[in-house]
Amino acid sequence: MREQLEAIREAARQELAKVDSRAGLEAARVRFLGKKGELTAVLKQMGKLSAEERPVIGQLANEVRAYIEQIVETRAKELKAEETAKRLESERIDVTMPGKCRPLGHKHPLTIVLDEVKEIFLGMGFDVATGPEVEWDYYNFEALNMPPDHPARDTQDTFYITEKMLLRTQTSPVQIRVMEQQKPPIRVIAPGRVYRSDAVDATHSPLFHQIEGLVVDRDITMGDLKGTLEAFAKRLYGEQTRIRLRPHHFPFTEPSCEIDVSCFRCGGKGCPMCKGEGWIEILGGGMVHPKVLQNGGIDPEQYSGFAFGVGLERLTMFRFNIDDMRLLYENDMRFLSQF
Ligand code: DAH
């Protein structure tokens, strides 16, 4: 029995050294130490031993058991450490590797300028109003003092949807919609898309953007229009900017004017940007026509107002020195990423 025990000890030593997985280790443990294992099988024969031999063999058996338990434990620790090391190796992350750089988007130049314009007018106490792009002829023309046979309609090549419905050709119809819903004092700007049946070239597009302005209150004068737009021009193009008003005609304002700003490139001396004029036309405006106030439900005997309209594309092209309007719509990243 002594030899058997020594053989088990030696077999276990060799076997356990070879084991290379936790499952294998468990199998080996069962084989040597389990209830039906080799050691137990030997101990079952203890009864056959003499009284003197029994304690000696019993002690040896305990030693062998302790020895095997000891290696099983050591191997378990080693295997666990190996597994952990393997896992860590496979999950290794190089924290010094440079990150993936996600390209950051750019605001479209039209958005940049529109945001600035909004900021300027919001600072002067204006609200932002909106209206539909699919509009009634009534709001786009008639209520703005352009009856069906009015010659000024010809200057705006209109996309009609039905006889009475169209794509708005200007943001001016928002004036009527605001007056219908709000009592004076009114101070709004209305930015938005407008449509005209124009062929595309460097300065035309069938879709473009305008920003409308409307102020209605008691005792509003042309001086208020001039002061407001001068403050606007200085904020947008710099403190040295001057404006001038030239008489003009619009059906919905009386009197009407066009507003020029001193050329921001040459300061008024004359250069290619202002075509040698020293001035650049950027706005149309005037005192809201009494009929238009009336159409908006406002009594022209008590209230007066001024209005203006400005093309966002023009503002943007001058602002960034862009010479072809098509660049604003083509979404060419080489162009857009410059802003
Ligand atoms: N709606 C005009 C246009 O598209 C621009 C305009 C001129 C708007 C004078 C106004 C204004 O409000 O008072 O040409």
Side-chain angles (χ1 to χ4, degrees):
M1 272 182 85
R2 183 185 290 276
E3 277 153 25
Q4 275 181 319
L5 288 171
E6 290 298 350
I8 291 174
R9 186 200 317 243
E10 183 53 23
R13 192 182 65 75
Q14 286 181 14
E15 186 72 20
L16 287 167
K18 277 190 282 177
V19 154
D20 64 354
S21 71
R22 287 216 261 173
L25 181 64
E26 178 58 13
R29 191 190 64 79
V30 170
R31 177 181 150 196
F32 293 112
L33 303 177
K35 269 196 199 122
K36 293 178 184 160
E38 292 184 16
L39 195 59
T40 315
V42 175
L43 292 179
K44 275 185 185 150
Q45 298 162 29
M46 290 272 281
K48 295 180 196 154
L49 295 173
S50 67
E52 298 90 70
E53 276 176 321
R54 216 175 284 155
V56 182
I57 295 297
Q59 196 190 343
L60 178 61
N62 281 340
E63 270 174 38
V64 171
R65 171 179 294 279
Y67 173 79
I68 298 174
E69 278 173 351
Q70 162 73 48
I71 343 183
V72 167
E73 202 181 305
T74 316
R75 282 302 285 149
K77 277 191 197 143
E78 285 169 2
L79 286 170
K80 198 167 172 209
E82 275 168 35
E83 260 174 43
T84 308
K86 248 190 237 160
R87 206 187 62 235
L88 286 181
E89 184 58 34
S90 73
E91 290 176 1
R92 184 195 211 101
I93 294 172
D94 181 357
V95 293
T96 65
M97 237 158 73
K100 280 190 190 135
C101 195
R102 305 274 172 215
L104 199 60
H106 295 247
K107 268 197 201 171
H108 192 279
L110 288 174
T111 308
I112 296 174
V113 174
L114 177 58
D115 284 352
E116 272 180 37
V117 172
K118 279 190 196 161
E119 191 66 31
I120 294 169
F121 281 106
L122 290 179
M124 292 197 268
F126 283 67
D127 288 324
V128 174
T130 55
E133 290 171 30
V134 175
E135 187 55 286
W136 298 110
D137 180 288
Y138 172 76
Y139 286 104
N140 194 80
F141 289 129
E142 227 169 307
L144 290 166
N145 203 24
M146 287 195 242
D149 53 356
H150 198 285
R153 284 189 176 216
D154 296 344
T155 64
Q156 303 188 353
D157 292 311
T158 310
F159 288 115
Y160 277 94
I161 293 168
T162 67
E163 210 178 304
K164 291 185 168 172
M165 198 192 279
L166 44 73
L167 293 180
R168 70 179 178 190
T169 59
Q170 47 188 358
T171 44
S172 304
V174 184
Q175 289 188 31
I176 306 293
R177 290 182 173 275
V178 168
M179 286 190 282
E180 280 180 346
Q181 280 167 19
Q182 248 173 273
K183 291 295 131 224
I186 291 171
R187 270 187 306 237
V188 293
I189 55 165
R193 293 191 190 114
V194 299
Y195 302 84
R196 290 184 199 182
S197 174
D198 278 329
V200 175
D201 66 23
T203 54
H204 291 88
S205 159
L207 181 163
F208 59 104
H209 301 77
Q210 288 186 335
I211 304 162
E212 195 77 11
L214 175 69
V215 170
V216 182
D217 202 351
R218 292 181 199 277
D219 305 320
I220 295 292
T221 70
M222 202 82 176
D224 296 307
L225 170 69
K226 192 179 175 200
T228 304
L229 294 180
E230 187 166 22
F232 166 66
K234 283 179 186 294
R235 282 284 305 279
L236 193 65
Y237 290 118
E239 222 12 72
Q240 70 294 343
T241 311
R242 289 159 294 135
I243 66 165
R244 82 175 175 189
L245 275 55
R246 275 179 297 102
H248 199 75
H249 173 265
F250 296 105
F252 30 86
T253 42
E254 181 57 36
S256 305
C257 59
E258 278 190 330
I259 296 126
D260 301 341
V261 294
S262 54
C263 178
F264 11 84
R265 167 80 81 64
C266 65
K269 285 190 214 79
C271 70
M273 182 134 167
C274 56
K275 301 200 179 83
E277 297 276 328
W279 295 94
I280 293 171
E281 183 248 310
I282 59 162
L283 286 129
M287 300 305 291
V288 182
H289 197 290
K291 276 195 195 162
V292 173
L293 287 174
Q294 230 157 22
N295 291 337
I298 288 171
D299 180 0
E301 296 294 329
Q302 291 197 47
Y303 294 102
S304 56
F306 71 76
F308 59 88
V310 50
L312 180 59
E313 277 74 3
R314 253 176 98 71
L315 287 186
T316 305
M317 288 168 76
F318 287 127
R319 179 59 201 275
F320 294 122
N321 218 339
I322 298 165
D323 58 8
D324 193 325
M325 195 162 161
R326 286 168 286 201
L327 288 167
L328 294 172
Y329 305 117
E330 283 166 353
N331 288 332
D332 185 332
M333 289 305 292
R334 290 168 302 181
F335 171 75
L336 292 179
S337 59
Q338 294 175 47
F339 296 90

